[in-house]
């Protein structure tokens, strides 16, 4: 019988609360010794022991390579990755972009550490194992299982700082649910194209637009050696007019300038033709990134630039 591989990377799910009320790291994973976990055929490995704000794209790449090696052994029916919730949406999306897997890959985490009242860690982990070991979850891209819901790495985002129902897919909702009896999928899910990656050398940054923003920061960015910039633009993809001259200089310099929206629902589209409006900026060479939030668009652009994608290829990759 095949086992489910659990790869621990750290986060609240691997922490506990001390008598002073601080949530702290532990040496051994606190859930490993829980009896309920061992009624499932599992194998555990601790790849990292990091709070997720410490996770970098380099570690995401290391995780990609590790998962790929494990899939190739053909020993497992599915893979669960436990991860801190702060950057879970980024790591899971990176894995979704970089691995084509025929077995399910499922991320989970916890909002309350292992010894807190109402801790959700063990429960989420067991739900994640049930999803990862179920053939219904195959060929759907990377999934996130938290709080009885199944989400895709593409659309999920952390929406609340401490609530256990924090993971939501604001535009489309969960793709499935986990119940006592079974798991159910209510939406067809697909995996976007796979972007191969073996190293990470491109510098891509993320900036949020706001009312009255001046171009001081953008001018500084222009003087650095970045290759790409994601701007969380206003509404459908507009920015204050003060930024336009520097945006044009960045594009002229060869920097890829990509817009997502700072709204958490809807897509960006070039609609307005005033100064700073999306349609005018499209003519200047700004690329619009449909349906992704800023941190995810940044990872995708990093991988595309790593593959020397042309501006046209980048535009196509972000269109749908
Ligand atoms: N700060 C923690 C982390 O992301 C939060 C969590 O895991 O829920 O590592």
């Amino acid at each position: 019988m095949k086992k489910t591989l659990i790869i621990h990377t750290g986060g609240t799910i691997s922490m506990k609360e001390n008598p002073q009320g601080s949530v702290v790291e532990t040496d051994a994973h606190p859930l490993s010794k829980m009896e309920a976990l061992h009624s499932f055929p599992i194998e555990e490995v601790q790849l990292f022991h990091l709070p997720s704000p410490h996770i970098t794209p380099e570690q995401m790449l290391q995780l990609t390579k590790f998962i790929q090696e494990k899939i190739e052994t053909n020993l497992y029916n599915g893979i669960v990755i436990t991860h801190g919730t702060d950057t879970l949406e980024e790591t899971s999306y990176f894995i979704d972009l970089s691995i084509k897997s025929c077995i399910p890959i499922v991320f989970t985490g916890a909002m309350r550490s292992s010894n807190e009242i109402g801790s959700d860690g063990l429960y989420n982990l067991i739900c994640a194992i049930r999803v990862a070991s179920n053939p219904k979850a195959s060929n759907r891209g990377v999934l996130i299982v938290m709080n009885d819901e199944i989400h895709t790495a593409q659309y999920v985002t952390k929406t609340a700082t401490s609530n256990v129902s924090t993971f939501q897919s604001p535009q489309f909702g969960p793709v499935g649910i986990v119940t006592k009896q079974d798991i159910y999928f209510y939406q067809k899910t697909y995996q976007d194209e796979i972007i191969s990656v073996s190293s990470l050398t491109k510098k891509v940054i993320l900036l949020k637009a706001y009312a009255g923003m001046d171009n001081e920061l953008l001018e500084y960015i222009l003087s650095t050696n970045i290759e790409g910039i994601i701007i969380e633009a206003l509404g459908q993809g507009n920015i204050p007019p003060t930024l336009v001259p520097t945006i044009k200089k960045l594009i002229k310099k060869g920097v890829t300038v990509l817009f997502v929206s700072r709204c958490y629902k809807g897509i960006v589209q070039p609609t307005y033709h005033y100064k700073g409006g999306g349609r005018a900026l499209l003519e200047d060479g700004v690329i619009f990134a449909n349906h992704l939030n800023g941190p995810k668009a940044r990872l995708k652009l990093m991988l595309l630039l790593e593959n020397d994608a042309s501006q046209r290829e980048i535009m196509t990759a972000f269109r749908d």
Side-chain angles (χ1 to χ4, degrees), residues 11-12 51-53 84-86 110:
T12 298
S52 76
T85 60
D86 289 349

Side-chain angles (χ1 to χ4, degrees), residues 149-152 155-156 168-176 187 265:
E149 291 183 344
I150 310 171
H151 294 263
T152 62
Y155 297 119
V156 81
Q168 303 289 330
S169 302
Q171 188 67 35
F172 304 111
V175 295
Q187 287 186 40
K265 271 180 142 178

Side-chain angles (χ1 to χ4, degrees), residues 222-234:
L222 181 65
S223 72
T224 69
N225 61 352
I226 62 151
E227 276 113 328
I229 177 167
I230 313 291
I231 298 184
E232 286 187 8
L234 312 170

